[in-house]
């Protein structure tokens, strides 16, 4: 199976990076907090490298996407002000993450004190305001046939993209078929008259 996935699924088109960037612009709505949001953005960045290592999503792009999302949602107004007050040379992805993680921590403390359960991105968290335990450490397995986790992730990313493309093509086919059925019905009606 892994050999098949490596042979068949490792290639994606560079245009997929643009679609991925569009998805990253919206992921703040689904994130339960800043840490998850940052992870989603950085996962997307790694995925873009697998798609086209010569045209990856940069830290600058992540910074622009994340800053735009925070300004749009007005979730952390003090953090927005603090970040915007930085000198131009101090505005970078690392500084952004530090400021907004601190703001998320402060919000959670305030929520715990007040009993408020405000969520991130306009959505309440599914687990409340209590920190979640870290997932158990995964067992390390030796590589087999030089297959890496990155290769497997790339295969699944490509399979998901192919499924999405096939779904879009199927939707278009259904629309075209409906238009054809309508045209045939109109022709049949006009011929009967």
């Amino acid at each position: 199976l892994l050999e098949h996935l490596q042979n068949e699924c490792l290639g994606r088109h560079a245009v997929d990076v643009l679609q991925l960037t569009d998805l990253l612009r919206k992921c703040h709505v689904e994130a339960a907090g800043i840490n998850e949001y940052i992870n989603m953005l950085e996962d997307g960045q790694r995925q873009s490298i697998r798609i086209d290592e010569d045209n990856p999503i940069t830290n600058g792009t992540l910074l622009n996407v994340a800053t735009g999302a925070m300004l749009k949602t007005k979730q952390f107004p003090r953090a927005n002000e603090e970040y915007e007050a930085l000198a131009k040379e101090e505005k970078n992805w690392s500084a952004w993450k530090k400021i907004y993680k601190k703001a998320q921590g402060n919000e959670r403390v305030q929520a715990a004190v007040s009993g408020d359960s405000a969520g991130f991105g306009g959505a309440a968290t599914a687990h409340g305001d209590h920190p979640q335990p870290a997932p158990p450490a995964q067992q390390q397995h030796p590589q087999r046939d030089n297959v890496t986790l990155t290769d497997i992730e790339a295969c699944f990313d490509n399979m998901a993209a192919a499924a999405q493309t096939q779904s879009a093509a199927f939707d278009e086919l259904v629309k075209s078929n409906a238009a054809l059925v309508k045209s045939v019905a109109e022709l049949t009606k006009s011929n009967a008259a």
Side-chain angles (χ1 to χ4, degrees):
L1 176 64
L2 290 176
E3 183 179 331
H4 172 75
L5 290 174
Q6 277 184 309
N7 292 336
E8 301 298 322
C9 300
L10 286 178
R12 287 180 71 180
H13 197 278
V15 175
D16 292 334
V17 174
L18 295 174
Q19 182 180 18
L20 180 60
T21 304
D22 290 341
L23 291 173
L24 292 179
R25 285 191 182 106
K26 301 171 188 166
C27 71
H28 68 281
V29 175
E30 298 172 15
I34 287 292
N35 289 329
E36 182 180 349
Y37 180 53
I38 290 169
N39 288 340
M40 292 168 86
L41 291 173
E42 291 179 340
D43 286 346
Q45 183 180 43
R46 284 187 291 277
Q47 188 177 6
S48 76
I49 293 168
R50 290 191 302 270
I51 294 169
D52 183 1
E53 63 187 31
D54 294 329
N55 188 27
I57 293 174
T58 64
N59 282 349
T61 301
L62 295 183
L63 180 61
N64 289 334
V65 167
T67 301
M70 293 301 103
L71 291 172
K72 182 179 177 182
T73 63
K74 301 176 186 174
Q75 179 74 22
F76 301 105
R78 288 188 193 129
N80 291 341
E81 291 171 8
E82 182 180 348
Y83 183 77
E84 292 301 318
L86 292 176
K88 184 177 181 177
E89 61 274 2
E90 294 175 335
K91 290 182 178 181
N92 58 53
W93 182 233
S94 295
W96 189 97
K97 292 191 295 186
K98 182 178 178 183
I99 289 170
Y100 285 88
K101 282 181 179 182
K102 179 181 172 188
Q104 176 78 55
N106 290 342
E107 181 184 80
R108 288 191 174 158
V109 168
Q110 290 174 347
V113 169
S114 69
D116 211 4
S117 62
F120 178 77
T125 60
H127 305 290
D129 294 319
H130 305 291
Q132 298 299 311
Q138 295 180 350
Q139 232 178 355
Q140 296 295 323
H141 296 286
Q143 291 185 6
R144 295 182 186 134
D145 299 329
N146 295 327
V147 175
T148 65
L149 180 58
T150 302
D151 290 337
I152 294 170
E153 287 176 342
C155 290
F156 285 117
D157 291 341
N158 293 332
M159 287 174 33
Q164 188 175 22
T165 301
Q166 287 178 349
S167 176
F170 180 74
D171 291 344
E172 285 298 316
L173 186 58
V174 168
K175 287 178 187 175
S176 296
N177 190 34
L180 183 59
V181 167
K182 183 178 177 183
S183 296
V184 168
E186 289 173 359
L187 282 172
T188 303
K189 184 178 178 181
S190 69
N191 284 341

